[in-house]
Structure formats: C-alpha cells, structure tokens
C-alpha cells in the first residue's frame, strides 16, 4: 500500500464512524450501483441477443430462398462436367450475392461441391482468399451431411478481421449435392450493441450519481438539525444555559427543536434554582457557623470553669460537667468542619504546597491518636520506607486526611491491629490505612465519602465524629489533584489509599501501593489474587482500580 493509501484509510474509517451522512450516501451508492449495474447488464445482453436473432432470421430467409434458386438453376444438369455448368455456378453465386460481384453488400455467398471436388471449382462472391479457413470443419461436415448449420466466428472477410455469422445449407442436384454458404458480417450489429451498452452504462452512472446526490440532500436535511442539537447540547453542558435551537416550519424536525428548547428552558430554570438554593445553603452554613462562634466561646469559658472545679461537686454534677465538656468539644469540631466545607463549596480553599517528608507526618498522626488506640485496645503497626518520603504537599491538609483515616480505622478496627503503609515511586507517593473490622458492604465504597453518611448509624461512636471527616479528606485529596479511594469486604475490614503526586500539579496515572490488600480473601469463582477490580471515589469521580503487572495499583478513570 502506498503512503497516500496508508494515510487515506484512517481518514475514511474515521469519516465512516463519525458521519451518518457519509454512511447513508455510501450505502446508497453501493446499493444503487449494484442494482443499476445488474439492470444495465440484462438490458445490454437483451439488446445483443435481439440484434443477433434478427441477423440470424435475415440470413435464414436469404439462405432458404438462395438454396431454392440454386437448386432450380443447377437442376438442369445431370453431370458437373457438362458445358456451361461452371458459368451457371458463377452466375448463381453472383446473383445471390447481389448481382454485381464488385458491389460490397456485407454478404459473402459461396457454392461448393464436395462430391465433385476438382470438377466444380468453389465459387465465392465477392471473392475471398482461402475461403476454407472461414468455415470450420464441423460446420462443413454437418452441411455435407444434409443439414442446415451455422456458426459465429472471426476471420478476414475483407481487409480486416471481422466477426461474422456463417450459415450453410445443402442444395440437391441430379448429380448429387452441393453446399451453399452465406457469410454475413456482424460489424453493424456489434456497433449497435456497443452503442446500446455505452448508452445504458452512461444512463446508469448518471442515475447512480443522482441517487447519491439525492441521498446526500435528504440526509443533510435530517442530519443538520441533529448536529445543531448536538452542538447546542454541548454548549449547554459547558454552562451556556441560554443556547437554543432555531425552529423552522412545523414538521417533525421543528417539533424536535421545540421539544429540545423546552427541555433546555426547564433545565436552565432548574439549574438556576438549584444554584440559588446551593448558594443560600452555603451562605446559611457559613453564617450559622460564624454566628455560633461567639456564643460558643462564651459557653466554652463557662464550661472550662465548671470542668476545672468538678472535683468539688457531687458525682452526678461532676459527670454532667464532663459530658458538657465532651459535647462542647464535638460541637466545636462540627463548626470547624462546617466552616471548612463551606470554604470548599465556595471555591476559596487554597493549597499551600511545600516539600514535605511524609514519614514525620505519619508519626505525628499516630502519636496524637495513641490515647484513643490504647483506650479501644488497637495496635497501630507502621510499614515505612527507610529513608524520607518527600512530596510537594500541604502538610496541614495531608495530616488532617491521615488523622481522619487512622481515626476511623482505630474506631472501627474491632480491637484488631491497624496497619499504615507508605510507598513512593518516581511520580507519586501513597499511604494506605488497613483495618480488620466489619468492613464495607458492596457499593458502600462509593457512599462512604458522602457527607454525614455512616455505614452503621447504630454503632457507638468512640470519637464523636461529625460525619464530615472523609468528605473533607476527599476534597483535600482533590485539591492536591490526588486520589482518595476505599476498599472493603464484609468481615475482612477495609483499606483506604491516599495517592498524591510527588510534584504539585502533576497528573496521576498510577499509585505506588495497591488498593486491594494482599491478605484479602476473594469470592469463589472470582479472579485470582491481584486481579480484583475495586471501585473507589477519586479525583475523577468513580475509578476502576486494579493491579499493574509490576504489582502496583493502576487507576483507570
């Protein structure tokens, strides 16, 4: 295949896949070409057969009358050696050929006497050299046997090779039998058939082209509004909510345009209403959070005084002071989380990235949660690289994400060890937090990052969480252009993976650590270890995650 052909094939394939008009016109041209070509072949063949049949009928009539005339002229002779017999043969042939032996009529007449060979000279009019080569031995033998026969052959009747029709008939005489042959040129019939074929082919090509143009015009009338609707829908999806289609006429396409415009209007109205409600909700959350700060500060001061003097109270009042202090801590944490959520919703969250070693960050998180882990009987295990793990991240936000992940793992670990693993490669760093608690039911890994969602609302909450921790952690990961994903199975615990680019702003393509734990038990009939696909929420929404050939987890949006 040439270079141009190699370049043209992908272009044609792309046009075929993307253009409905190209497909319709191409199919119309192919179908019409086959149909018109078939009809053209049948018509041309029919015309050729008619011309040949007419030529054969004409030659047969002339042969029958010529045979009768020759039999009458030669019937007076008892022997071919009689005087003037050859002159009679010559005169008969000339008469049957048209009277004038020099006049070209397109017909060659020959009279041969095989049983008197050497006595009667073969005679042709007009004269033809080597007449014997123009008649096949089979035709000559059939005519000599007393039957009328014919053949179509090509030979030199004049100065050029000519396609001709040869007919032979026996002529009975008193001394035996002679053979009369008519050779008729088919040049005129061939020319007529060629003209008919050219006319049919030209008409067919013109018809195919007209059908292609008609198909292109019809499909354009249909496809153009669809393309306009697609472009308008793309603009609507890009946020240009005032885009509408032009309505022309009252046909089905106009009805489609009106329905599309009505849908766009309703969508615009609903989106504006939802945006307004979302704006009011964000403003309400922000205002309430700020307004509650002042009374909370006053209540906090009074509660701190009461909590400091609780040893002098009776046991019931002392317990109430402790509960008040605990609930105020939870209330203050909730306000802090609501303020953070409002900043994310308003788009005011900013990333303060700097080169940071994640190993000390992990140690700080574990140290701050050591009391909680000791209280619930959970051991925290660390699997850290021997050297530093440097990445351009916001250390405050990364520490908050890890604190939420480790805190949840400790709380839901059911007294079993929690393992924290840190991995790094050339483009990314990752931290996994593995617990062996109740785990997640199928589908919950897509809901766990929703605000205020809990896998088990009836479970006793040791840490008094607000239900916003994982949601805020997900936003922190997205702010880094990273991933925060979850895996879990009933009875096998859960594992969360935080993957961040090593350089701020880079795009992630894989993670140094696998999402599915190596000790996970796969369901019967499922893929072998290392082949499970898990679903998790990441920076691009829902991600399908599975291990790469080198053992790393590979993410595919």
């Amino acid at each position: 295949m040439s270079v141009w052909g190699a370049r043209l094939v992908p272009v044609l394939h792309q046009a075929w896949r993307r253009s409905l008009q190209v497909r319709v016109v191409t199919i119309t041209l192919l179908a019409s070409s086959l149909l018109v070509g078939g009809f053209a072949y049948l018509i041309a063949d029919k015309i050729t057969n008619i011309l040949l049949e007419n030529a054969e009928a004409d030659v047969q009539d002339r042969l029958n009358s010529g045979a009768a005339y020759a039999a009458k002229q030669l019937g007076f002779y008892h022997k071919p050696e009689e005087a003037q017999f050859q002159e009679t043969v010559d005169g008969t042939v000339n008469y049957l050929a048209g009277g004038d032996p020099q006049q070209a009529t397109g017909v060659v007449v020959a009279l041969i006497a095989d049983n008197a060979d050497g006595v009667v000279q073969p005679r042709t009019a007009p004269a033809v050299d080597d007449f014997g080569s123009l008649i096949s031995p089979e035709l000559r033998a059939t005519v000599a046997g007393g039957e009328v026969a014919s053949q179509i052959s090509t030979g030199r009747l004049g100065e050029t090779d000519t396609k001709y029709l040869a007919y032979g008939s026996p002529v009975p005489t008193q001394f035996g039998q002679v053979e009369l042959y008519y050779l008729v040129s088919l040049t005129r019939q061939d020319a007529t058939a060629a003209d008919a074929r050219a006319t049919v082919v030209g008409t067919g090509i013109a018809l195919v082209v007209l059908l292609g143009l008609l198909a292109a015009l019809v499909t354009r009338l249909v496809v153009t509004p669809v393309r306009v609707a697609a472009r308008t829908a793309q603009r609507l999806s890009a946020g240009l909510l005032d885009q509408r289609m032009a309505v022309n006429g009252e046909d089905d396409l106009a009805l489609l345009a009106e329905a599309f415009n009505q849908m766009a209007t309703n969508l615009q109205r609903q989106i504006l209403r939802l945006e307004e409600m979302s704006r009011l909700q964000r403003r309400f959350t922000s205002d309430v959070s700020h307004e509650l700060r002042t009374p909370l500060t006053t209540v906090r001061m009074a509660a701190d005084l009461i909590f400091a003097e609780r040893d002098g109270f009776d046991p019931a009042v002392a317990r109430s002071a402790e509960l008040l202090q605990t609930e105020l801590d939870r209330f203050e944490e909730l306000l802090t989380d609501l303020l953070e959520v409002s900043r994310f919703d308003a788009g005011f969250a900013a990333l303060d990235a700097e080169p940071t070693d994640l190993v000390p960050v992990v140690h700080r998180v574990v140290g701050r949660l050591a009391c909680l882990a000791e209280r619930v009987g959970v051991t925290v295990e660390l699997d850290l690289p021997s050297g530093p793990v440097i990445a351009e991240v916001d250390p405050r936000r990364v520490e908050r994400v890890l604190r939420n992940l480790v805190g949840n793992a400790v709380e839901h670990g059911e007294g079993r060890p929690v393992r924290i693993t840190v991995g790094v490669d050339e483009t990314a760093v990752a931290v996994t937090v593995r617990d062996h608690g109740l785990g997640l039911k199928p589908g919950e890994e897509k809901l766990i990052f929703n605000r205020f969602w809990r896998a088990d609302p009836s479970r006793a909450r040791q840490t008094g969480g607000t239900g916003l921790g994982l949601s805020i952690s997900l936003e922190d990961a997205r702010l880094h252009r990273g991933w925060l994903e979850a895996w879990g199975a009933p009875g096998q615990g859960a594992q969360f993976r935080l993957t961040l680019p090593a350089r701020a702003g880079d795009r992630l393509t894989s993670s140094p650590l696998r999402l599915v734990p190596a000790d996970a038990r796969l369901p019967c009939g499922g893929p072998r270890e290392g082949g499970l696909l898990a679903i998790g929420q990441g920076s691009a929404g829902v991600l399908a995650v599975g291990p790469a050939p080198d053992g790393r987890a590979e993410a595919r949006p």
Side-chain angles (χ1 to χ4, degrees):
M1 183 180 295
S2 64
V3 177
W4 286 106
R7 295 178 180 177
L8 185 61
V9 169
V11 175
L12 295 178
H13 183 261
Q14 185 178 16
W16 174 268
R17 291 179 61 250
R18 293 188 176 182
S19 177
L20 176 62
Q21 187 175 12
V22 169
R23 292 199 297 270
V24 172
V25 172
T26 302
I27 294 173
T28 301
L29 289 176
L30 291 177
S32 60
S33 298
L34 293 175
L35 185 61
V36 173
F39 276 114
Y41 174 79
L42 292 177
I43 292 174
D45 185 67
K46 187 67 174 178
I47 293 174
T48 302
N49 291 334
I50 291 175
L51 292 173
L52 182 59
E53 290 173 358
N54 291 337
E56 290 178 345
D58 180 65
V59 174
Q60 287 178 356
D61 291 341
R62 300 180 67 172
L63 181 67
N64 292 334
S65 61
Y69 179 80
K72 181 179 179 181
Q73 294 296 320
L74 300 179
F76 298 103
Y77 297 92
H78 298 280
K79 294 180 180 180
E81 294 86 356
E82 295 182 13
Q84 297 183 349
F85 179 79
Q86 187 65 42
E87 289 79 1
T88 303
V89 170
D90 294 342
T92 301
V93 171
N94 291 333
Y95 174 80
L96 295 179
D100 185 0
Q102 302 301 324
Q103 184 178 4
T105 62
V107 178
V108 177
V109 180
L111 194 62
I112 301 173
D114 286 337
N115 59 349
D117 190 16
V119 177
V120 179
Q121 296 298 325
R123 180 69 172 89
T124 62
V128 175
D129 298 332
D130 193 14
F131 176 79
S133 65
L134 299 177
I135 305 241
S136 66
E138 293 82 5
L139 175 62
R140 193 161 183 173
T142 303
V143 176
E147 297 181 6
V148 178
S150 64
Q151 74 173 30
I152 296 177
S153 184
T154 301
R156 184 174 292 273
L157 288 182
E159 296 180 355
T160 59
D161 289 341
T162 305
K163 182 179 180 182
Y164 59 90
L165 173 64
Y167 258 90
S169 174
V171 178
T173 63
Q174 294 184 17
F175 57 85
Q177 175 182 288
V178 297
E179 293 88 39
L180 177 65
Y181 293 94
Y182 273 77
L183 278 67
V184 180
S185 174
L186 298 178
T187 302
R188 182 173 58 84
Q189 287 80 1
D190 285 345
T192 304
D195 291 340
R197 285 193 295 269
T199 302
V200 171
V201 171
T203 304
I205 293 176
L207 182 59
V208 170
V209 173
L210 290 177
L211 288 175
L213 294 177
L214 180 61
L217 178 61
V218 173
T219 53
R220 181 179 178 83
L221 293 176
V222 177
V223 171
T224 298
V226 176
R227 291 176 178 172
V228 172
R231 288 194 295 266
T232 306
Q234 291 174 352
R235 296 190 186 101
L236 288 173
S237 64
L240 303 176
L241 302 180
D242 58 342
Q243 297 295 309
R244 297 295 184 270
M245 291 182 60
V247 180
N248 298 318
E250 300 178 356
D251 54 8
D252 295 336
L253 296 177
L255 181 61
L256 171 64
E258 291 179 354
F260 185 91
N261 292 339
Q262 185 63 38
M263 177 194 68
T265 301
N266 294 335
L267 286 176
Q268 182 182 18
R269 186 181 301 113
Q270 292 292 333
I271 291 174
L272 293 177
R273 186 173 66 86
L274 291 175
E275 287 180 349
E276 181 64 19
M277 292 177 59
S278 177
R279 186 183 65 80
L280 293 175
Q281 181 183 13
R282 292 195 301 268
R283 181 175 179 180
F284 174 78
T285 302
S286 178
D287 292 345
V288 168
S289 301
H290 281 93
E291 291 298 329
L292 289 177
R293 279 292 183 182
T294 301
L296 177 62
T297 302
T298 304
V299 175
R300 163 67 70 181
M301 294 173 59
D304 289 341
L305 291 175
I306 296 174
F307 184 77
E309 300 295 333
R310 68 184 184 281
D311 294 336
F313 302 148
D314 56 56
V317 177
R319 178 57 180 165
S320 298
E322 293 176 355
L323 291 176
L324 177 61
Q325 187 74 8
T326 301
E327 293 304 317
L328 281 175
D329 290 339
R330 289 185 56 200
F331 188 40
E332 189 172 9
E333 182 182 353
L334 176 60
L335 287 180
T336 302
D337 289 346
L338 286 175
L339 284 173
E340 189 68 21
V341 167
S342 66
R343 280 193 289 269
F344 279 120
D345 290 341
F348 294 151
L351 186 67
D352 188 12
E354 60 184 39
T356 304
D357 186 1
L358 295 186
V359 175
V361 176
V362 172
H363 282 294
R364 285 200 303 270
V365 170
V366 174
R368 293 182 180 180
L369 295 174
C371 295
L372 173 62
E374 183 179 356
R375 185 167 68 250
V376 299
V378 171
T379 302
V380 179
E381 302 174 351
L382 298 180
D383 183 4
L384 306 177
S386 57
V389 179
I390 306 298
E392 294 180 5
V393 297
D394 188 334
R396 179 182 65 86
R397 295 183 183 278
V398 173
E399 183 174 345
R400 179 168 60 189
V401 173
L402 297 179
R403 187 168 61 249
N404 283 322
L405 297 181
V406 177
N408 286 338
V410 170
E411 180 185 359
H412 304 126
E414 302 295 331
R416 300 183 181 91
V418 171
R419 188 173 187 82
I420 304 174
T421 305
V422 178
V424 62
D425 61 14
E426 295 81 1
T427 61
V429 295
V431 180
T432 59
V433 180
R434 172 79 163 104
D435 68 72
H436 298 81
L438 296 178
L440 299 174
K441 299 177 182 178
E444 288 184 347
E445 69 275 2
K446 293 184 288 186
L447 303 174
I448 196 170
F449 297 102
N450 293 344
R451 297 173 183 178
F452 301 107
W453 186 88
R454 285 186 172 274
D456 185 4
S458 63
R459 184 184 300 150
R461 295 185 287 183
Q462 300 292 334
T463 60
T466 63
L468 295 173
L470 289 180
S471 176
I472 295 175
S473 299
L474 178 61
E475 296 297 337
D476 283 332
R478 286 176 175 172
L479 198 60
H480 285 84
R481 301 189 66 180
W483 304 334
L484 180 58
E485 303 151 289
W487 170 90
Q492 299 189 54
Q495 177 162 292
F496 289 79
R497 181 180 68 178
L498 172 66
T499 307
L500 302 174
R503 288 178 294 275
D506 287 356
R507 182 179 180 272
L508 290 177
T509 57
S510 62
S511 178
L513 299 177
R514 57 190 300 167
L515 177 62
V516 182
D519 59 349
R521 299 188 305 274
L522 301 181
C524 296
R528 294 175 296 176
E529 176 61 34
L532 181 65
L533 291 180
I535 301 297
Q537 183 109 10
S539 60
V542 177
L543 297 177
V545 181
D550 60 358
R552 298 186 304 171
E554 186 181 65
R556 296 175 297 278

